[in-house]
Amino acid sequence: MADVLSEEQRSRCMSHIKSKNTKPEVLVRSFLFANGYRFRLHRKDLPGKPDIVLPKYKVAIFINGCFWHGHKDCRYATIPVNNHEFWKTKIEGNIERDRINIAKLHEFGWRVIEIWQCQLKPKNKDITLQNLLTELQYE
């Protein structure tokens, strides 16, 4: 299926997508704060600049967009038909970079929790957030 937007329009749309303070990220932060957890955001001294860092528990949380981070077998992670090779290379690069950053965090003794955008959709949100609490309580 061809793109309904021109190349310039698509470029403008893609350039406006935020990488910090996204709705899923704010949702998780609000939930953690309401449950008594205190955290830091986007620590530059840690590999991958995790979205949420709980230093007390030595936990790094990444809230990943399904498209941008290539969530396997997810309906939101389809590679566009237009400029297919560019997007395929871009997303594969993101996946590899994520893998390397997570491995480095593990080497430094950090626990890593990945939450996917699709897990925070209304149907799955409550289960995902409860699972997050459970994971934080068990070290």
Side-chain angles (χ1 to χ4, degrees):
M1 185 167 116
D3 197 346
V4 294
L5 299 177
S6 71
E7 202 171 308
E8 295 80 26
Q9 290 171 320
R10 176 63 61 206
S11 179
R12 192 172 343 103
C13 285
M14 296 305 267
S15 72
H16 284 87
I17 296 173
K18 300 190 307 182
S19 64
K20 292 180 180 176
N21 302 317
T22 61
K23 285 180 184 178
E25 191 179 317
V26 171
L27 174 75
V28 173
R29 289 185 341 214
S30 298
F31 177 79
L32 288 172
F33 193 86
N35 282 278
Y37 289 92
R38 300 302 176 252
F39 46 82
R40 296 284 168 256
L41 303 176
H42 313 291
R43 275 194 33 193
K44 292 180 178 122
D45 61 325
L46 292 175
K49 294 185 245 172
D51 298 309
I52 301 170
V53 178
L54 293 102
K56 179 178 176 180
Y57 304 93
K58 212 161 183 191
V59 170
I61 301 173
F62 290 96
I63 291 89
N64 292 336
C66 297
F67 171 76
W68 295 103
H69 295 269
H71 190 196
K72 190 174 179 178
D73 300 324
C74 176
R75 63 183 261 199
Y76 301 107
T78 57
I79 297 175
V81 174
N82 285 14
N83 214 357
H84 185 80
E85 280 307 309
F86 166 81
W87 286 111
K88 186 173 183 268
T89 304
K90 167 98 176 126
I91 292 166
E92 286 172 353
N94 290 348
I95 292 168
E96 180 62 16
R97 188 184 65 238
D98 291 345
R99 189 191 62 73
I100 291 168
N101 288 330
I102 289 169
K104 285 180 185 175
L105 284 165
H106 285 149
E107 283 176 31
F108 297 149
W110 286 80
R111 285 191 305 141
V112 176
I113 298 172
E114 283 185 286
I115 299 174
W116 292 95
Q117 167 192 2
C118 64
Q119 293 175 309
L120 295 170
K121 298 283 184 194
K123 185 172 111 179
N124 305 321
K125 178 180 74 167
D126 294 335
I127 293 169
T128 300
L129 295 174
Q130 284 308 312
N131 288 343
L132 175 60
L133 277 186
T134 302
E135 216 169 319
L136 290 174
Q137 290 167 355
Y138 295 106
E139 294 183 40

